[in-house]
Structures are given as structure tokens and as C-alpha cells.
Amino acid sequence: MPGWSCLVTGAGGFLGQRIVQLLVQEKDLKEVRVLDKVFRPETREEFFNLGTSIKMTVLEGDILDTQCLRRACQGISVVIHTAALIDVTGVNPRQTILDVNLKGTQNLLEACVQASVPAFIYCSTVDVAGPNSYKKIILNGHEEQNHESTWSDPYPYSKKMAEKAVLAANGSILKNGGTLHTCALRPMYIYGDRSPFLFNEIIRALKNKGILNATGKFSIANPVYVENVAWAHILAARGLQDPEKSQNIQGQFYYISDDTPHQSYDDLNYTLSKEWGLCLDSSWSLPLPLLYWLAFLLETVSFLLRPFYNYRPPFNCHLVTLSNSKFTFSYKKAQRDLGYEPLVSWEEAKQKTSEWIGTLVEQHRETLDAKSQ
């Protein structure tokens, strides 16, 4: 791998930034190229203040712009593709989600063939495996079980089809006569400091007298800390470039979890924020079957109103199932093929995330104090 280079798409995002921070510590890396639609000024500054001699190239461009992708891929050894539109509630139009997640991935694969990029790592999601029903329990699942999402909702469907495209592209002949090698990583629900989902939950709770929403109390999940997911991508990049390891990795997908205790999503939010006085909503909530049928009813109303009015339900059947299923996976295959071991322990991940939540709580208090003066 002497003098290799890496392009990270979605590099301005929650996971993308962590991947870049770990990449610049890699030996023999000569350039990191970061691509996103828009970078916040503070993100640009962070990239250029990483204290590395590795060349850092910041590119702003659309994943649907084929010319932009072709330029971004020129001279690159490895592409790590994390750019995606994550939307499980239908905020964005279906076609927009399909365009970004599926067509964008297909565009990038084609750009890799044209620019002769030999390695492609796709950040997929556990959503491509399900859960398909809150009644079905899957604990410590693994890759050989062939779990596949049956949802037609745009996010899980687009990610599933994009992953299939990536794995099918393994072995494609590049323009220079070389071969494209691909793999996909399926992280569990990713948490950690700067998580946009956790940020929204905490801000919502602070506006509601410190009471956290109870939306996933029936679940058993194995959340994974963001830095451990980033580390798995680094190991995949190393592995696909290693002639010995690559044979086992090409065309494969891997579940990425860590040693975070299996727990409900509600318990995770509470554990990470209780130090700052936040608590779970203890009021009565609908039984899960009723909640599911209410979601179905709301989706039906939305469908019937669509010709006249764009009604977006506050939750849907997919979200209710996703938030309330017993659905966990082992990282043993990644351990075997990639040499993956979590970089960050549960205790350290919990502390880092809790400290960040503390800064949000402090900022909220300062805002309230300023308004009351």
C-alpha cells in the first residue's frame, strides 16, 4: 500500500468525519480526499487542523454529478462511501432518497471503473436486514442467516439495493485492466458525541422539562459507538489492499457492533443523559400492537390524502418496528476477516457521549438565562 490515497464521501457527516480523523493516522497514506455536498466552515477548519503532513483535499459536489465523481476518483486507491440520505419518517420525497442512496452509489461505482479505483467500501446499515416484524426475535444474528428487509419504505429499500449493487460490482474490470474489489459494512444504530439523532432527542427533552421521549422501550438493540464503526472502515480499507486478506473480504458484507450492552433505545438515551438530570417519560403509552395499527391507519390516511394534501404521519409502521424489535447482531465475522476489535470500550464511549450531552444541557441553560434577563 505504499503511497496510497483515499476518497471519503459524506465526509462532513457524523461518521465521515470520524473516518477522516482515523485515516490521517495511517502509515503510507499520501492523500485524503473528502467529498460532501456542503461542508460547514467549522468542519473544513477541523480537517485542516488535524496536524498531519498528509495532503487534505476538500471537494464540494453532488453525488448525482457524474463529472464531479469522475474528477474526485482520479488517482485514488480506495473509496469509502458513507454519503447517504438517512430518512425513516418520510421527510424527503421518495425519489430524492432513491436518487441519493441508490443512483448516487451506482454513479460512484461507475466513476471508480472509469478512474480505475481498485477498492470500494460501502457503509450500509443493519436496516437492510430488517427487522421485518416486531414479533420476530433475532439475537446475536450473523451474516450466514441471510436476513433481508422486506420494507418498501425508501430508506431501507434504497440502502438494500445500493448494497446489492456494490457487492455485485466486485470483480468488475477497471478501465486500466485491473479489478474492482468491494465490500459492505452494516453498522448497528450508531451513537456517540455529535450524533444528529441523539442531538434531536436531547434538545426535545430539554424543551420538555428534561423528559426523554419513550419511543423504543420494547426493543433490544446493540448500539455501536461511532469511532468503532469508523475503525471498521479503516480495517476494511487495509484489508482490501492486502493480497492475502483481500481474498476473504471481496464481495462480502459485515455486521459492525461493539461491546455496548444490549439494551432498549430508550434505556440507551437515559443511560447517556441521566447524569444531567434527564429522565424517561413514565406516563402510560399504547401497547405495541395498538401502536403498530395506529401507524398503519395514519399511513393509510396519508396515502388517501396524497392527491389533495401531503400529510406526513408523525410515525409509520417501519419506524415502530425498527424502534421496538429485539434485533441484535454479532461482529465475529468482521473480527475473523478484518481483524476488527472495538477501539473504544463501552465505559469510554458512555463517558465521551455523556460529556457532550453535558455541553448541550449547559448551552440550553445559558440560552434560557439570556432570555429571562
Side-chain angles (χ1 to χ4, degrees):
M1 299 192 296
W4 64 289
S5 54
C6 186
L7 168 68
V8 182
T9 72
F14 174 45
L15 174 61
Q17 287 184 57
R18 297 301 180 103
I19 290 172
V20 173
Q21 287 164 11
L22 291 180
L23 261 178
V24 297
Q25 299 170 34
E26 288 295 286
K27 287 190 298 184
D28 299 322
L29 186 67
K30 65 179 182 182
E31 181 185 4
V32 177
R33 219 171 276 177
V34 296
L35 173 69
D36 215 320
K37 197 166 185 179
V38 180
F39 286 101
R40 294 189 304 274
E42 58 270 26
T43 306
R44 282 175 172 270
E45 198 174 328
E46 280 178 25
F47 284 153
F48 289 116
N49 290 337
L50 285 171
T52 175
S53 57
I54 294 167
K55 182 182 178 186
M56 179 70 66
T57 308
V58 177
L59 303 170
E60 287 192 344
D62 197 314
I63 199 79
L64 297 173
D65 182 342
T66 53
Q67 292 304 314
C68 165
L69 295 183
R70 187 100 41 109
R71 287 193 300 271
C73 288
Q74 285 300 327
I76 288 291
S77 319
V78 181
V79 165
I80 298 177
H81 178 36
T82 75
L85 189 51
I86 303 171
D87 182 354
V88 291
T89 57
V91 175
N92 297 280
R94 180 183 182 85
Q95 195 56 50
T96 304
I97 299 170
L98 292 174
D99 284 347
V100 173
N101 295 351
L102 177 53
K103 195 166 191 303
T105 302
Q106 292 167 331
N107 288 346
L108 191 57
L109 286 166
E110 180 56 29
C112 286
V113 168
Q114 294 303 319
S116 299
V117 178
F120 188 106
I121 295 136
Y122 178 61
C123 180
S124 187
T125 167
V126 69
D127 277 19
V128 306
N132 295 321
S133 167
Y134 64 83
K135 296 173 186 175
K136 188 174 180 182
I137 297 172
I138 295 165
L139 298 177
N140 287 315
H142 53 81
E143 289 80 354
E144 283 69 36
Q145 290 169 331
N146 289 323
H147 297 290
E148 184 172 306
S149 170
T150 56
W151 293 100
S152 61
D153 294 62
Y155 179 68
Y157 175 77
S158 62
K159 291 294 284 186
K160 179 179 77 171
M161 298 311 292
E163 186 194 277
K164 285 180 184 291
V166 169
L167 299 182
N170 184 64
S172 297
I173 303 304
L174 303 174
K175 197 168 184 183
N176 67 357
T179 308
L180 176 65
H181 294 143
T182 69
C183 72
L185 306 185
R186 294 180 178 179
M188 304 299 108
Y189 167 72
I190 307 174
Y191 73 95
D193 29 308
R194 298 194 187 187
S195 158
F197 297 106
L198 199 46
F199 175 86
N200 290 337
E201 286 297 321
I202 299 303
I203 296 302
R204 197 179 292 126
L206 291 172
K207 290 176 177 175
N208 188 32
K209 301 175 183 174
I211 299 171
L212 290 156
N213 252 2
T215 54
K217 66 180 178 182
F218 301 106
S219 59
I220 295 177
N222 55 334
V224 58
Y225 184 61
V226 61
E227 199 165 323
N228 291 328
V229 180
W231 179 233
H233 284 77
I234 304 299
L235 293 172
R238 286 183 190 172
L240 279 183
Q241 295 181 91
D242 182 322
E244 285 182 27
K245 283 188 176 180
S246 182
Q247 296 297 324
N248 296 324
I249 301 169
Q250 296 167 24
Q252 298 293 311
F253 68 86
Y254 297 90
Y255 292 111
I256 306 299
S257 53
D258 60 16
D259 300 325
T260 300
H262 293 198
Q263 59 195 299
S264 73
Y265 293 111
D266 287 0
D267 285 343
L268 175 72
N269 291 343
Y270 173 63
T271 301
L272 296 172
S273 62
K274 63 183 178 183
E275 185 184 337
W276 309 103
L278 275 68
C279 60
L280 280 171
D281 189 349
S282 58
S283 59
W284 181 83
S285 59
L286 282 174
L288 188 50
L290 268 179
L291 190 64
Y292 185 87
W293 283 109
L294 177 58
F296 177 76
L297 182 65
L298 292 174
E299 283 191 73
T300 304
V301 170
S302 173
F303 175 76
L304 294 173
L305 287 176
R306 198 163 296 157
F308 322 102
Y309 177 70
N310 186 21
Y311 166 64
R312 185 166 61 85
F315 54 92
N316 55 38
C317 294
H318 173 237
L319 187 58
V320 169
T321 304
L322 195 64
S323 305
N324 291 285
S325 292
K326 295 171 174 60
F327 199 66
T328 70
F329 287 86
S330 161
Y331 62 79
K332 280 187 178 171
K333 185 181 174 185
Q335 195 175 34
R336 183 192 73 202
D337 292 359
L338 305 177
Y340 169 75
E341 294 287 349
L343 262 190
V344 182
S345 69
W346 159 240
E347 287 304 321
E348 190 184 342
K350 182 169 63 171
Q351 183 187 344
K352 285 181 174 179
T353 310
S354 179
E355 284 173 0
W356 169 72
I357 289 172
T359 64
L360 298 181
V361 173
E362 194 56 43
Q363 286 167 12
H364 182 73
R365 283 177 185 153
E366 286 172 4
T367 304
L368 289 180
D369 289 345
K371 283 181 178 176
S372 64
Q373 286 171 7

